Amino acid sequence: MSKSENRLKLNEVMPELAGEVSSFFENIEQTKKIEETIFVMVPSYRDKDLDNTLTDLYQKATNPELLTVCVFDQSEHDGYVNFDKTNMHYIHTNYRNAKGISHARNIIQNFYNNETYFLSIDSHMRFTSDWDMTLKRMYKQLEKPRPGGFRGSWIKSQPGYVDVEKYTVYDGKRSRKTLGETENEFMFSPWCSLHFMFTEGMYNKRIKFDPDHYFSGDEYNMTLRTFTHGYDLLSPYQPVMYHHYRKDSFKNTPANYIVDNKQWADLDQKGIIKNKNLMTGEAALSCPSYGIGSERSVEDFLKY
C-alpha cells in the first residue's frame, strides 16, 4: 500500500483525525526535504561573472529551494548580486580589505546550519542540468561497499581505508579502458580541488579553513587535513560543472589576490610555513585549531 493509499485509508477510518493525519504526512515530506539540503560556498574576489554563476547555479538545479548559498563578495561595490534569494547569505567587503581566499571560506563556514551536503565552488562556474540531483545520486552510491570491502568517499570512512598498492600503482590495463568500460567508475584523486568539492555537510564542523592561507597552498592544506580526518578523495565519474572563462563580451578572468596587495608575499608565506609544519608534525604547537586529523597519519597520506 502506497503512502497516498495509507493516508486515504486513515482518513476513512478516523475522519476526526484527518487534520492530524495530513499534518503527519506533510511533516514527513518536510523532513525528507530537510535531509536533502546543500550548503553552497561561493567566495568571490572582484569577479564580474559572480552574478552569472549564481543565476546558472539556481536555474540548473532540480530543487533550488533546497540550496543554501553563502556568497562572500570581495569587490568594489556592494550589492553586485542582481537578484534576491531568501535562502542566500550575501556578505560584502571592499576588495581592499580582503584577507585571502581561506579567510573568506572560513567566514562562510559560520553560516553552515546543519545542511545535509556541502559544495565548495568558485565564482566563475557553469552547471549541467539537474546538477544537484546528480551529485546526490553519486554520493549515495559511495555509501555502498566498494571492491575489497572499501567504503567510498567524499564521505567519512573507517580506518583501513584502501589497499594502497591496488589503487595507486600505475596499471597499464587501466589506461587502455574504453569510455564504456570506465562508465560509473569513481577514480581516486591525490588532491582536494576547492573549485569543486562535494561532501557531507558536517565537514564544516569537523574541518575549518585556515584563515592564514592567503592564496598559495590552501588546497594542499585542505587535502592533507581532509585525508587525515578520515575522508577519502575521489573524482566523480560524471561532470556536473566547469570553469567559465570568456573573451567575447567581457574579460572575467578573476583578479588574483596577489595583484592588489603589495604585502602578498609576506601574507602568502605564513600559510606555506604552516603547510611545512603540518608535514613535519610541528603543527600541533603552531596551529592546533587547524591541524591534521587523528584518524590517519601524515605517513598514511604519503603512502597513499
Side-chain angles (χ1 to χ4, degrees), residues 213-232:
H213 279 269
Y214 185 73
F215 190 80
S216 303
D218 60 324
E219 291 180 318
Y220 301 133
N221 179 274
M222 294 305 291
T223 293
L224 181 60
R225 294 172 57 214
T226 296
F227 184 88
T228 57
H229 275 83
Y231 289 84
D232 302 310

Side-chain angles (χ1 to χ4, degrees), residues 45-50 52 80 124 126 244-256 259:
Y45 184 81
R46 303 186 69 185
D47 196 340
K48 294 181 180 179
D49 202 40
L50 171 62
N52 295 326
Y80 186 71
H124 37 274
R126 294 296 183 272
H244 182 69
Y245 297 114
R246 298 173 48 166
K247 293 184 179 180
D248 48 0
S249 60
F250 58 84
K251 183 179 180 181
N252 73 342
T253 303
N256 194 318
V259 173

Side-chain angles (χ1 to χ4, degrees), residues 184-240:
N184 299 333
E185 180 179 338
F186 293 94
M187 302 294 288
F188 284 88
S189 172
W191 306 110
C192 287
S193 184
L194 299 178
H195 77 275
F196 166 71
M197 181 172 70
F198 185 77
T199 185
E200 61 177 358
M202 290 301 293
Y203 181 95
N204 287 282
K205 291 189 175 180
R206 294 192 172 105
I207 307 177
K208 294 294 184 180
F209 287 89
D210 189 341
D212 282 338
H213 279 269
Y214 185 73
F215 190 80
S216 303
D218 60 324
E219 291 180 318
Y220 301 133
N221 179 274
M222 294 305 291
T223 293
L224 181 60
R225 294 172 57 214
T226 296
F227 184 88
T228 57
H229 275 83
Y231 289 84
D232 302 310
L233 313 175
L234 290 176
S235 296
Y237 58 80
Q238 181 176 346
V240 295

Side-chain angles (χ1 to χ4, degrees), residues 12 40 75 78 88 92-93 138 153 181 183 187 228 286 292:
E12 290 174 1
V40 185
S75 59
D78 190 356
M88 176 187 288
H92 177 268
T93 187
M138 287 193 290
S153 144
E181 290 175 320
E183 187 176 3
M187 302 294 288
T228 57
S286 62
I292 61 173

